[in-house]
Amino acid sequence: MTVPEPIKISPFPVVDPSLDKSDHISFVKARSAFAKEQLVRTEEINYVREKMKWCYRREGVNHLQNCRHLTMQYMELARAAKLEWIKPFKMPAASTAASDEE
């Protein structure tokens, strides 16, 4: 039995490291583009989950064997989404800003 090709998923979105946060217009554009990319990636992961669900229903009692490739791919994507979910626009903590003023 051959293993089917995994479903292609886009890479995690990345924010330009040279982004100037003082330029409000470019900051807002970058933030909205990043949010859209994250939504696309989330929907792609949901698509794999839906394929896995329909495979389970179609295969019946043999789903453990015949849908394993989809289950493994979904588990890898879910772990990666949880561990590698990045927050590029995180502002510095108030405690570090207060210590700098002293």
Side-chain angles (χ1 to χ4, degrees):
M1 184 171 122
T2 61
V3 177
E5 288 290 318
I7 297 171
K8 302 286 190 233
I9 300 293
S10 60
F12 277 104
V14 179
V15 175
D16 183 18
S18 64
L19 178 68
D20 182 19
K21 291 186 179 180
S22 63
D23 183 12
H24 185 69
I25 294 172
S26 66
F27 182 76
V28 170
K29 285 182 181 179
R31 185 174 55 191
S32 66
F34 184 82
K36 287 176 187 176
E37 289 177 18
Q38 280 187 332
L39 286 174
V40 167
R41 180 151 174 92
T42 302
E43 286 303 315
E44 289 172 342
I45 294 171
N46 288 340
Y47 175 73
V48 173
R49 185 181 65 207
E50 287 295 317
K51 295 269 294 182
M52 182 180 67
K53 181 171 74 171
W54 283 105
C55 183
Y56 276 28
R57 290 179 182 171
R58 183 184 68 235
E59 297 298 330
V61 295
N62 296 325
H63 71 278
L64 294 175
Q65 185 178 17
N66 297 340
C67 302
R68 183 174 179 82
H69 64 284
L70 287 172
T71 306
M72 297 303 288
Q73 183 180 13
Y74 178 72
M75 292 303 293
E76 289 173 14
L77 292 170
R79 280 190 200 110
K82 185 176 181 179
L83 296 176
E84 299 175 16
W85 197 259
I86 47 180
K87 298 173 185 161
F89 298 103
K90 186 176 180 184
M91 296 299 170
S95 61
T96 58
S99 63
D100 291 340
E101 292 175 4
E102 293 176 359

